[in-house]
Amino acid sequence: MSVESLRRAARESVSGLPRAFWWLWASTLVNRLGAFVATFMTLYLTLDRGYSATFAGLVVALHGLGGVVSSLVAGVMTDRLGRRPTLLVAQASTAFSVALLGFMEHPAAIAAVALLVGMTSNASRPAVSAMMADIVRPEDRVRAFALNYWAINLGFGISAAVAGLVAEYSYLAGFLGEAALTLVCAVLVYVKLPESRPERSAVGQGFAAEPEVGMGTVLRDRRFMGVVGLSFVISLIFTQGSVGLPAAMGAAGFSPAEYGLVIAANGLLIVVLQIPVTRFIEHRDPRKLLVASALLAGYGFAMTAFAGPLWAYALTVCVWTLAEIVNSPTQMGLVVRLSPVHGRGRYQGMYTMSWAVASLVAPLMAGIVLDRLGADWLWATTGVLGTVAALGYWLLMRNLPEDAGSGGKGEPAERAVGGKAEQAVAVEAVAVVGAGDARSVAAAPAA
C-alpha cells in the first residue's frame, strides 16, 4: 500500500465526526494518560506500604465494587441532570478522591477511599457513551466508539510506561499526577463540550411523546438485558488476560517481565489495528461480527492450554486481541441502537455495570479454577464461555433486520425517512449538538 493510500485511509477514518466528539475523545485520552491507581494499586499496597496480598486484593475488590455501585447511579444522573454535569461532577470527584488516597495511612481509610475512587472513576463512563451516541450520526457510531477505544488503549499504554518510572520515584507523585490530569479532563468537559442530552421540548408539538424511561424499563427490556448478560460473559473471558494469564504463566515458570512482554502485544495491536480493522467492519453485519468475535475470544484464550514457549503465549494474545478489536465497538453500537433516546444514560449505566461485575467475578473464577483444577481447565472454561456467548448473540439477533438496528428502540425514529419522526430527529440534532455542528447532523441522511 502506498503512502498516499495510507494517508487517504487515515483521513477517511477520522473525517465527518463533529467537533464535540474530538473534545470528548481528547478528554478520554488525557484521562487514560493518568490511569495510575488502577494499574499500580496492588504494587503500591504490597511493595511501598508493606501490606499483605490479601489486603491488597480486598482493596482492589472494593475499588471494583465502587464501579458496580456507581454504574447505575451515574446512568440515572446522565439522563436526569445531563451528560455535561455528570461528567464534571464525576471527574472532579475522581481527582479529589485519587489525591486523597495518596495521603491515607490507616488500612480502613485506604479501603474506604479506594471504594470512593472506584465509584467516582467509573461514574463518567455512562455519560461519555451517551454523549457520544447523542452527537455522532448513527452510521458513524461504530467508527466513533472504535476511535474512543483506541484512545483508551493508547493512553493506557503510555501511562503504564511513564507511571512505572514515576512509581520508582514516588507513588504519591503518581496519585497527584492522576488527580491533576483528571482535573484537566473536567475543565475540558466544562469549557469545550456543550450539553447533548436530547430535550423532549425540542421535538415540538405534533410528535408522539416518548414514554418515560426508568430502571424498570431497562430491566424489562429482555433483548437489551440479553446483551448485558452476553457482555458479562465476554468480559469474564477478556479479564483473564490480566487475571488468569499472569497467574498461569507464573506457575509455568515465566517471570513478570516475560508476562509484561507478552501482554504488551495486546495494547500494541489495538493501537496499530483498531482503526484499519474498524474501517473493514463498520458497515458489515454486526450479528456475524459479534458471533465471530465471541468465538475468537473464547478459543483464543483456550489456545493458551497448548502454549509452551513464550512466542506461543504471544500468539494466543494476538488471537483474542483481534476479537477485542472487533467486539468492543460493534457491541457498543448495538447497545446504542437498543437504547431509547431519552434513556441512553440508564441503558449505558446497566451496560457498564456488566463489565464492573465481571471485574469482580473473574478473579474469583480464575482463582478457584486454577487452585482446584489447574490452568488447562481455566482455558477450557473460556472456550465454553466463548461458545455460549456466540450462540447467545446468534439467538438474540436472529430476528433483527440485516442492519441489526431498525428493530431497536433508539433507531426507528432516525430511519423513518420523510415522516414526522425524521423531522423530529433533525430538530433534536440541532438542539443537542450546537450551532457549530448542527448543520452537518441535521443534513445527514438516515442511517
Side-chain angles (χ1 to χ4, degrees):
M1 182 179 289
S2 66
V3 175
E4 182 57 34
S5 298
L6 290 174
R7 289 177 179 174
R8 184 170 60 253
R11 284 196 300 269
E12 291 174 355
S13 297
V14 300
S15 64
L17 296 171
R19 185 183 301 116
F21 165 79
W22 290 111
W23 284 114
L24 191 62
W25 182 91
S27 72
T28 297
L29 178 62
V30 173
N31 190 51
R32 296 307 297 174
L33 285 171
F36 182 85
V37 171
T39 307
F40 289 91
M41 176 75 79
T42 300
L43 292 176
Y44 166 68
L45 293 174
T46 55
L47 298 182
D48 188 68
R49 303 304 300 272
Y51 291 111
S52 67
T54 300
F55 177 73
L58 172 64
V59 172
V60 173
L62 287 172
H63 183 274
L65 179 61
V68 174
V69 173
S70 69
S71 297
L72 299 181
V73 176
V76 174
M77 289 176 59
T78 297
D79 284 337
R80 289 188 176 179
L81 301 181
R83 283 60 158 145
R84 187 168 175 252
T86 300
L87 279 171
L88 185 62
V89 170
Q91 292 174 342
S93 301
T94 299
F96 169 77
S97 59
V98 166
L100 182 64
L101 181 61
F103 292 99
M104 292 296 99
E105 298 288 343
H106 194 278
I110 292 174
V113 177
L115 175 67
L116 179 62
V117 171
M119 293 177 64
T120 56
S121 61
N122 201 62
S124 62
R125 294 181 182 180
V128 168
S129 297
M131 179 175 278
M132 203 169 297
D134 295 337
I135 64 180
V136 176
R137 298 179 302 179
E139 63 267 32
D140 292 330
R141 283 176 187 155
V142 170
R143 180 160 55 100
F145 283 123
L147 287 167
N148 193 65
Y149 192 64
W150 184 80
I152 289 172
N153 283 276
L154 177 63
F156 179 79
I158 296 173
S159 71
V162 175
L165 299 175
V166 172
E168 291 185 0
Y169 168 73
S170 169
Y171 278 92
L172 178 60
F175 286 113
L176 296 179
E178 177 171 347
L181 286 173
T182 307
L183 272 179
V184 170
C185 289
V187 172
L188 278 176
V189 167
Y190 182 77
V191 174
K192 294 296 184 179
L193 289 177
E195 176 56 57
S196 69
R197 180 181 61 172
E199 298 292 343
R200 296 175 188 274
S201 59
V203 176
Q205 297 180 351
F207 301 116
E210 183 180 305
E212 291 292 333
V213 178
M215 288 310 301
T217 309
V218 182
L219 294 172
R220 289 191 297 270
D221 189 336
R222 289 185 293 179
R223 173 170 283 159
F224 176 78
M225 290 306 296
V227 173
V228 171
L230 293 172
S231 171
F232 170 74
V233 174
I234 289 292
S235 303
L236 285 179
I237 299 173
F238 284 131
T239 306
Q240 298 309 319
S242 58
V243 176
L245 184 60
M249 288 185 66
F254 292 100
S255 67
E258 288 172 316
Y259 164 72
L261 185 63
V262 166
I263 201 62
N266 174 251
L268 178 63
L269 284 175
I270 290 175
V271 170
V272 172
L273 296 180
Q274 183 71 70
I275 293 177
V277 170
T278 301
R279 280 176 51 80
F280 178 76
I281 69 171
E282 65 176 323
H283 298 303
R284 297 180 184 274
D285 187 349
R287 295 172 295 185
K288 297 177 181 178
L289 294 175
L290 289 171
V291 170
S293 65
L295 293 173
L296 272 177
Y299 291 108
F301 274 98
M303 287 169 56
T304 312
F306 305 99
L310 196 66
W311 66 264
Y313 282 94
L315 178 62
T316 65
V317 171
C318 293
V319 173
W320 58 258
T321 296
L322 181 59
E324 186 179 359
I325 290 171
V326 173
N327 181 271
S328 179
T330 306
Q331 187 163 250
M332 286 295 295
L334 176 63
V335 169
V336 172
R337 290 176 170 187
L338 295 178
S339 306
V341 171
H342 297 288
R344 282 175 177 158
R346 289 174 172 85
Y347 273 66
Q348 290 291 345
M350 181 63 72
Y351 173 71
T352 300
M353 191 183 71
S354 68
W355 286 84
V357 174
S359 71
L360 290 178
V361 175
L364 297 176
M365 181 185 84
I368 291 173
V369 175
L370 286 172
D371 288 342
R372 297 186 178 181
L373 300 173
D376 288 352
W377 280 94
L378 176 63
W379 307 129
T381 300
T382 62
V384 172
L385 290 175
T387 303
V388 169
L391 180 61
Y393 282 125
W394 180 76
L395 292 174
L396 187 72
M397 303 178 68
R398 59 179 176 171
N399 294 325
L400 292 181
E402 278 299 311
D403 58 15
S406 60
K409 295 179 179 177
E411 291 290 285
E414 298 175 6
R415 310 179 73 80
V417 180
K420 291 184 177 180
E422 183 187 33
Q423 300 169 23
V425 170
V427 174
E428 184 175 69
V430 173
V432 303
V433 175
D437 299 305
R439 185 179 304 168
S440 63
V441 174

